[in-house]
Amino acid sequence: MREITLSQAVNEAIAEEMRRDPTVFLLGEDVAEAGTPFKVLSGLVEEFGTQRVIDTPISEPGFMGLAVGAAMTGARPIVDLMFGDFIFLVMDQLCNQAAKIHYMSGGKLNVPLVLRTNMGATRRSAAQHSQSLQALVAHIPGLKVAMPSSAYEAKGLMKTAIRDNNPVVIFEDKLMYQDKAPVPEEEYLIPFGVANIKREGTDITLIATSSMVQVAEKAADLLAAEGISAEVIDPRTIVPLDEAALLKSVRKTSRAIVIDEGHQSYGITAEIASRLNEKAFYHLDAPVLRMGAMDVPVPFSPALEDVTVPTPEGVAANARKLCAGDMIHAA
Amino acid sequence: MPRNATSGAGPHDVTMPQLGMAQDAGRIVAWLKAAGDTVAKGDALFEVETDKATMEVEAQASGFLTAITAAEGDDVPVGAVIARISDSAEDDSPAPAPAAVSTSAPDHADDLPKGQPVTMPQLGMAQDSGLLVSWTKNLGDKVAADDILFEVETDKSTMEVPAGMDGYLAATLAEPGEDVPVGATLAIISTDKPDAPTARSATSIPAPSAAKAPPAPAATTPARAEEQPAPKPQPAPAAQDRILASPKARRLALERGLNLNNLVAAGHPQPFHARDLDVLANLPATSPAAATARTATIRLTAEIATEGLTAFAQWAAANHGFTDRDVLLAGMAGASLSQPGIIAIERHGHSRGFAIPADRALSAITRSDDRPDLILRDLRDTALRSVTTGAEGTPVLTLMSGHVGLILTLECSVDQMSAPAAIALLSAFAGRMEHPLRHLL
């Protein structure tokens, strides 16, 4: 199968959907001529013109509000938020308006809007351009949240998101735009709420999102050399969450580490760990661990930045402790 | 008035709800159910008109509508009982007091001052209790009907509630901070100055009017539990201290009828995990004879250099694709056994089994989870230099890092292996580990 980059996969997904459905349009800062700073959307303005690929002024609340209105009145906007960190600027439009309109209108109105943005540290972009803020939106009922872990997921989840009749937020890892993966030429969609078992194992479950799936897979390689068999699961969407798949795996392995690049406290990892604890308690042979980014503003210093996020070695070290029954002093 | 203190599905009194802040009575516009009709909780029961609005009031219980005491067009005070929802269409229990008649002091109040009860008002449709925030009158104070008597907090708001009648505050039956069911008597107002004003806490208030489910101020646990029923708690351990064991280990112990106390008695290190149950299952009966047998153990130690092993492993990986070093270890241990068998390699408390073929060929070794004939416990990345754990269910060969090379310790019981067999095994294994090429010869 051909391999394309995550960036190309997103571009293909959007282009295909724009060809299929004339109500789909793109808007955001530098999406048209520049094709975004990451060049993800290059070429789209040439095909679809400036009516459907719209460069906006630097005013996130403005164009996000515009998109919510457009979505309510029949269009299917894809809003490009240049950095995930800017999501703070669109919180009211996203969380108070888009997320609630379907509910508050008694189902009479839909908001078929996609907010595509990014996450991920270790790009030396400092504290205001390196955050992974998926937990903020996953907390709000009415928003779906997808976190692609490769080009394959990026394309299939984006197409599903565009066809969803209510708001979806997609976080792409900005360090993975050039990562290649096999992507079929023929059309496919990835349904929301279906986890992907990346690798089967029997001793411990590593539940990882987005970029952390790679970290978990590398950790699983390290562990395999020592005779520890790790299962790696990518939930793909954190809202809706494929809880059944996660529980099934943990009931099999009796141990789990949940890994996400958002800050560890009050994060995605805590939510998933808590559900495992509630629903698989009597199958657990060790405490469920969370691994997220350190609870600090992401440092600019490369040496410091690199230690704030989970690494394969760190995951493997924790997995070893869990398998050895060594967590008694962890708390 | 609290006329039914029984618990369970007894009759439920239908009262005039308080639908507005300043409302003290409502007019029955229409009954939407007739006497004897079946009603389900949530059914619209009657229509009431206040000075602000007309609205339908839902039944708060299921059953048969009986004992209607208020007719359409009647003005009924808030809180008055106007009907009952019973378990049968012919409820033979005494009819409630006529709606318009005010209620008398609670039955249980034999030792309370005489007077009229003040009850916890219903301030919202779905409210079933209110939190008493404070009393705004002191016990024994003279109160007027529109004097604020107390402050109550619901999940929606906090509001002040007037006394509703003139008199003296003779008794308070709840303390600030307590959650009191709607309809429960909160205070008694007497017409004469009371001799012995009484203050009690809400815990002494009997069940509220009718068979409303007992109020649960603390939210009950959402019923989204595990589909499997939780196992019963472990029988209290004989030992004084709590046994440290994982949830899974406890569940498996219960399912397999094993007693974790026996592991404690055997001195097995805590916390216990699922794998420790195999140790537990294999524990010999704690009879004196068995104890003697357990002490008849063999312990042998050897020290070897590691260079040969390292070089061999690199060569085998590069030339023959043996990237799994455990296969090499298992192969060398298996070749040292007198009979081909199963070798389990334990590391970080995790075990992988390998079946050694009859010809001892490394390439024909397969994974196997059958019961091992020998356990190879790899402690090379620990600081341990010596172990004496006593015989286990299976002979154990322990690998540890020494100052220069490897330390090998074999422990087994005389039942498992004779002394000459043990010496032969360890010698053969040490030889193969030191000079792995011998394995190929």
Side-chain angles (χ1 to χ4, degrees):
Chain A
M1 197 186 296
R2 64 163 184 159
E3 295 205 340
I4 60 172
T5 63
L6 192 149
S7 165
Q8 288 170 317
V10 173
N11 188 303
E12 273 189 12
I14 293 174
E16 285 174 18
E17 292 305 300
M18 288 180 78
R19 281 176 211 129
R20 189 186 61 82
D21 182 347
T23 65
V24 178
F25 74 100
L26 260 170
L27 74 169
E29 294 157 7
D30 278 346
V31 295
E33 297 311 319
T36 81
F38 301 98
K39 303 297 169 202
V40 176
L41 305 179
S42 295
L44 293 178
V45 71
E46 284 77 5
E47 178 175 353
F48 299 103
T50 51
Q51 293 287 304
R52 293 181 69 193
V53 182
I54 303 168
D55 269 337
T56 64
I58 302 176
S59 172
E60 285 82 0
F63 65 76
M64 182 67 194
L66 186 156
V68 174
M72 287 168 65
T73 50
R76 302 186 88 88
I78 303 168
V79 179
D80 185 291
L81 201 57
M82 191 185 286
F83 282 89
D85 310 72
F86 304 163
I87 208 158
F88 292 117
L89 288 161
V90 303
M91 272 298 179
D92 186 67
Q93 288 78 3
L94 180 65
C95 300
N96 256 341
Q97 309 302 331
K100 295 180 172 60
I101 283 164
H102 184 65
Y103 172 82
M104 292 183 74
S105 68
K108 291 193 175 68
L109 295 172
N110 290 315
V111 188
L113 174 150
V114 177
L115 179 65
R116 68 165 287 270
T117 188
N118 54 38
M119 49 160 280
T122 68
R123 191 175 167 267
R124 321 307 176 211
S125 301
Q128 295 159 325
H129 295 78
S130 303
Q131 297 168 88
S132 300
L133 297 173
Q134 53 273 22
L136 287 183
V137 286
H139 187 66
I140 304 301
L143 298 178
K144 299 185 185 82
V145 183
M147 298 184 66
S149 60
S150 79
Y152 176 80
E153 272 80 22
K155 183 170 179 186
L157 291 172
M158 176 61 78
K159 287 173 70 93
T160 304
I162 294 170
R163 296 185 194 188
D164 197 289
N165 281 334
N166 275 300
V168 177
V169 185
I170 295 193
F171 287 90
E172 296 154 7
D173 190 289
K174 61 176 95 70
L175 282 101
M176 290 171 62
Y177 280 128
Q178 297 314 314
D179 289 1
K180 286 191 171 184
V183 175
E185 308 261 3
E186 59 272 18
E187 176 166 70
Y188 67 96
L189 281 84
I190 296 177
F192 283 3
V194 180
N196 182 24
I197 298 174
K198 297 285 289 185
R199 172 179 184 136
E200 296 210 16
T202 53
D203 299 326
I204 186 166
T205 302
L206 305 177
I207 298 166
T209 61
S210 184
S211 53
M212 294 297 110
V213 174
Q214 295 179 355
V215 169
E217 289 190 289
K218 285 177 189 157
D221 286 338
L222 295 174
L223 293 167
E226 301 165 18
I228 296 175
S229 158
E231 181 145 306
V232 178
I233 302 192
D234 171 13
R236 302 203 284 205
T237 52
I238 50 175
V239 181
L241 181 69
D242 189 353
E243 197 178 85
L246 306 185
L247 288 171
K248 186 175 174 212
S249 174
V250 171
R251 285 180 181 143
K252 176 176 71 171
T253 62
S254 326
R255 304 176 187 94
I257 303 177
V258 192
I259 313 147
D260 175 82
E261 205 180 325
H263 293 300
Q264 176 157 315
S265 294
Y266 306 99
I268 303 297
T269 55
E271 171 63 25
I272 295 177
S274 179
R275 293 201 202 190
L276 299 177
N277 180 49
E278 283 168 16
K279 298 183 182 177
F281 182 75
Y282 291 103
H283 298 264
L284 291 174
D285 208 21
V288 178
L289 290 197
R290 294 164 298 151
M291 292 184 73
M294 285 168 69
D295 292 326
V296 295
V298 178
F300 174 65
S301 152
L304 292 179
E305 184 179 25
D306 288 347
V307 299
T308 61
V309 294
T311 59
E313 293 73 22
V315 173
N318 275 337
R320 249 177 242 129
K321 282 189 197 167
L322 289 182
C323 289
D326 245 8
M327 291 306 297
I328 186 71
H329 302 299
Chain B
M1 63 172 286
R3 56 167 308 281
N4 188 328
T6 57
S7 59
H12 170 88
D13 282 348
V14 178
T15 57
M16 173 59 66
Q18 183 162 31
L19 302 170
M21 294 286 286
Q23 176 207 350
D24 46 25
R27 173 171 296 170
I28 309 277
V29 178
W31 281 100
L32 304 174
K33 298 277 182 184
D37 280 2
T38 54
V39 294
K41 186 176 175 182
D43 283 356
L45 201 56
F46 59 95
E47 212 175 24
V48 61
E49 183 186 318
T50 69
D51 47 357
K52 291 224 180 61
T54 301
M55 57 199 301
E56 292 181 353
V57 177
E58 295 174 354
Q60 299 296 315
S62 300
F64 296 89
L65 184 63
T66 58
I68 296 179
T69 57
E72 294 178 358
D74 280 3
D75 283 317
V76 180
V78 166
V81 178
I82 55 176
R84 183 181 305 150
I85 295 173
S86 310
D87 293 338
S88 72
E90 288 88 30
D91 187 0
D92 52 5
S93 58
V101 176
S102 62
T103 50
S104 61
D107 314 338
H108 68 286
D110 45 358
D111 54 345
L112 286 175
K114 295 274 181 281
Q116 302 296 322
V118 177
T119 58
M120 174 60 75
Q122 183 161 28
L123 302 169
M125 291 297 285
Q127 176 205 350
D128 46 27
S129 67
L131 181 77
L132 180 65
V133 177
S134 62
W135 290 106
T136 47
K137 290 284 179 186
N138 293 319
L139 205 54
D141 278 3
K142 191 174 192 326
V143 294
D146 47 6
D147 281 355
I148 302 302
L149 184 61
F150 59 94
E151 232 184 348
V152 63
E153 183 184 318
T154 69
D155 47 358
K156 294 228 179 57
S157 60
T158 300
M159 56 202 305
E160 295 174 331
V161 180
M165 62 196 100
D166 297 337
Y168 293 87
L169 182 55
T172 57
L173 302 179
E175 292 168 356
E178 287 186 315
D179 206 35
V180 180
V182 166
T185 305
L186 269 180
I188 292 172
I189 294 183
S190 59
T191 42
D192 302 319
K193 193 164 172 58
D195 297 331
T198 308
R200 289 187 182 172
S201 85
T203 49
S204 60
I205 297 182
S209 65
K212 199 171 272 177
T220 48
T221 316
R224 278 206 297 161
E226 172 84 308
E227 54 264 41
Q228 275 185 314
K232 285 187 211 123
Q234 180 83 355
Q240 199 73 348
D241 296 328
R242 166 192 284 268
I243 295 176
L244 296 179
S246 79
K248 185 179 183 183
R250 284 184 191 278
R251 176 174 60 84
L252 291 177
L254 277 172
E255 286 173 4
R256 292 164 61 176
L258 297 171
N259 185 350
L260 292 175
N261 288 312
N262 294 343
L263 265 187
V264 178
H268 197 71
Q270 297 186 32
F272 301 143
H273 294 89
R275 63 169 171 274
D276 297 318
L277 295 180
D278 292 332
V279 177
L280 175 56
N282 290 326
L283 274 183
T286 47
S287 66
T292 315
R294 257 196 299 158
T295 57
T297 59
I298 294 167
R299 180 174 182 280
L300 303 171
T301 293
E303 234 178 308
I304 58 167
T306 55
E307 291 79 6
L309 181 66
T310 309
F312 180 74
Q314 284 167 356
W315 173 82
N319 294 288
H320 297 280
F322 284 114
T323 50
D324 189 344
R325 294 187 177 197
D326 285 353
V327 173
L328 295 182
L329 275 181
M332 286 192 268
S336 311
L337 286 174
S338 54
Q339 299 283 325
I342 309 287
I343 306 289
I345 302 205
E346 272 188 20
R347 190 179 293 112
H348 306 297
H350 173 75
S351 176
R352 293 169 89 201
F354 295 93
I356 309 300
D359 64 0
R360 322 282 170 108
L362 288 179
S363 55
I365 291 174
T366 52
R367 284 291 304 271
S368 167
D369 292 323
D370 291 345
R371 191 180 155 77
D373 299 295
L374 177 68
I375 292 170
L376 215 60
R377 189 167 289 150
D378 185 358
L379 301 180
R380 284 179 295 181
D381 63 355
T382 71
L384 292 177
R385 298 287 174 264
S386 170
V387 290
T388 308
T389 57
E392 300 178 21
T394 303
V396 178
L397 217 170
T398 307
L399 275 63
M400 289 163 288
S401 297
H403 291 296
V404 284
L406 281 184
I407 298 166
L408 311 176
T409 298
L410 175 65
E411 288 186 284
C412 60
S413 73
V414 289
D415 305 342
Q416 292 159 348
M417 211 178 282
S418 68
I423 291 167
L425 168 62
L426 188 62
S427 304
F429 182 66
R432 284 193 161 80
M433 291 287 279
E434 202 158 25
H435 302 291
L437 285 175
R438 276 174 53 179
H439 187 85
L440 302 178
L441 300 176

